[in-house]
Each structure stands twice: as structure tokens, then as C-alpha cells.
Amino acid sequence: MQADTDARGPSEHAGQTPHILITGLPGVGKTTLIRELAKRLAEHNPAGFYTEEIRNAQGTREGFRLVTLCGRQLVLSHIRHPGPYRVSRYGVDVSGFEQLLAELDLRHAQSRLIVIDEIGKMECLSPRFRDDMTALLNSPKMLIATIALKGEGFIRQVIDRPDCRLVMVTRENRDRLKSDLSTELENNLGKETR
């Protein structure tokens, strides 16, 4: 699948509003974009989570924290987290993540809009996460998610789905995408409530 470089393009694939996958180079602003979209679409009560970096006093990244749109937090990974699940230098708390997913129960969320940051290597270590994402992608809910620029296995399967549209974020288009994507999502969510 080729990535759109902006939010323009077909708004439907096979009669269904596509899910939007946001990708781009590290540090380009994917998380900032998805957080802004969640804020702009707050009246639709989106469900899901975004990721924050955990940095030490010297500014060195030591891990990642998940923050749900309803205010819960979980340290997903940390350089000092023990255990068998590792991505690069980070130990990943898969059991804690799965417990958080069970509490969120995104499959049965009342919201029609699900926000996920991100579909990445750490998150994909969780069978529950992969199952939840598959169920959400197969449901009438709208999923907007950041996704790794490169990936195999489940990440590649999601990118290759015909009901998913890949949007490439760059430094040049990231500000415009906030407006373009929020307008597109607002229009699509409005159609579904009529």
C-alpha cells in the first residue's frame, strides 16, 4: 500500500470508511498529531491511548508511558524493567499492558472513534493487543492509529489491509494534517450518527 502524503484522497474503500494509519520517521510528530486529533474530536468521546516518553533528569529517554484518554497511566517499557520481553534496550511490561487493555475493553467501548498510539513492536508483543486491534479493524468503529514506519508480521498485516489508509506525516505537512484529518473524521463521524 502506498502512503498518502496528506489527508486528501478517497474517503471510502469498498463502501466503508477506512481506518487511518499515521506513520512517519521517528520524531516527526505522529504522537503530537494523534493527541491533537483526539482533542479536536473530544465531543465524540474517543477511547484509546497515546504514548509519552519517559526521560531522566539529563533528558535521556528511559522508557515509554501509555496514557489512556480517560486518564489512566501505565509504564509500558523501561530500561530497568526486568523480564523476558524486550525491544531494543527496553523491557516491556506485557502483563501490565494486557491488564490495562482488559480494563479499557476497547472492543466494547461506547465510542465509535478509537485512538491508538501506537501499533508498534512493543505493543504487538501482547496477544490481547493484536486480537483487540483485529476485532476493532473488523468492526464498524473508526480506528485512527499511529503505526511503525517499518514492520513485519502484524504491523505489515495491518498496513496491507484494504480498509486502512496510510498517511505519511512529514515536517512539511504535519500542521495541515491536524486540520485536514480532523475535518475528515468529523465529517465521517457525523455521517454515522445521522
Side-chain angles (χ1 to χ4, degrees), residues 31-46 50 69 113 115 144 178 182 185-186:
T31 296
T32 301
L33 174 59
I34 206 160
R35 288 178 66 180
E36 180 65 23
L37 291 171
K39 191 162 89 174
R40 289 183 182 203
L41 298 164
E43 72 182 71
H44 296 283
N45 299 314
Y50 61 88
L69 297 182
L113 179 62
V115 175
I144 182 162
K178 291 175 188 175
S182 64
L185 289 163
E186 186 72 53

Side-chain angles (χ1 to χ4, degrees), residues 16-94:
Q16 178 181 347
T17 302
H19 305 290
I20 297 174
L21 305 175
I22 297 170
T23 195
L25 294 172
V28 77
K30 298 178 296 290
T31 296
T32 301
L33 174 59
I34 206 160
R35 288 178 66 180
E36 180 65 23
L37 291 171
K39 191 162 89 174
R40 289 183 182 203
L41 298 164
E43 72 182 71
H44 296 283
N45 299 314
F49 59 84
Y50 61 88
T51 308
E52 293 180 333
E53 292 182 344
I54 300 169
R55 294 192 175 266
N56 65 19
Q58 292 75 38
T60 304
R61 186 172 64 203
E62 293 190 339
F64 296 91
R65 174 184 306 109
L66 295 181
V67 180
T68 69
L69 297 182
C70 57
R72 295 183 195 143
Q73 295 187 12
L74 168 78
V75 174
L76 174 65
S77 63
H78 200 276
I79 57 173
R80 290 190 290 278
H81 183 77
Y85 300 105
R86 303 202 73 75
V87 172
S88 186
R89 63 191 190 120
Y90 304 102
V92 182
D93 183 4
V94 173

